[in-house]
């Protein structure tokens, strides 16, 4: 609440407007930004080069276990 109040003062806006703006941005921001996507790709390349990988069959097995999918269902 303190951060919101400080932001309202900084922007010279009513607190209610700042809260509305923050909520609207939070609810509408479903997609990652281009910068976030690029950062994720950069980190993935760093991990691959460092050998921080798992075999695909291991990853698929973990996903199936997490989702509760039997091998017969695939």
């Amino acid at each position: 609440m303190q951060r919101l109040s400080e932001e309202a003062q900084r922007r010279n806006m009513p607190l209610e407007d700042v809260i509305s703006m923050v909520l609207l941005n939070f609810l509408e921001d479903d997609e990652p930004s281009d910068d976030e996507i690029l950062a994720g790709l950069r980190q993935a390349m760093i991990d691959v080069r460092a050998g921080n990988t798992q075999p695909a069959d291991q990853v698929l097995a973990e996903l199936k276990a997490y989702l509760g999918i039997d091998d017969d269902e695939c």
Side-chain angles (χ1 to χ4, degrees):
M1 199 60 188
Q2 181 179 351
R3 284 183 63 191
L4 291 170
S5 295
E6 290 169 359
E7 187 65 19
Q9 286 180 338
R10 186 181 76 76
R11 292 178 180 247
N12 196 27
M13 294 173 63
L15 178 59
E16 293 81 12
D17 290 351
V18 172
I19 292 171
S20 294
M21 181 181 66
V22 168
L23 286 173
L24 184 63
N25 286 336
F26 173 77
L27 295 174
E28 287 185 354
D29 193 17
D30 292 349
E31 299 294 322
S33 69
D34 290 348
D35 289 339
E36 291 170 327
I37 292 170
L38 289 174
L41 290 171
R42 282 186 194 100
Q43 185 59 51
M45 292 302 296
I46 290 168
D47 288 342
V48 168
R49 287 183 180 160
N52 299 330
T53 61
Q54 292 180 319
D57 58 343
Q58 181 180 345
V59 173
L60 291 174
E62 290 174 13
L63 283 172
K64 287 177 185 177
Y66 177 78
L67 297 172
I69 298 173
D70 293 327
D71 284 334
D72 297 337
E73 295 180 49
C74 296

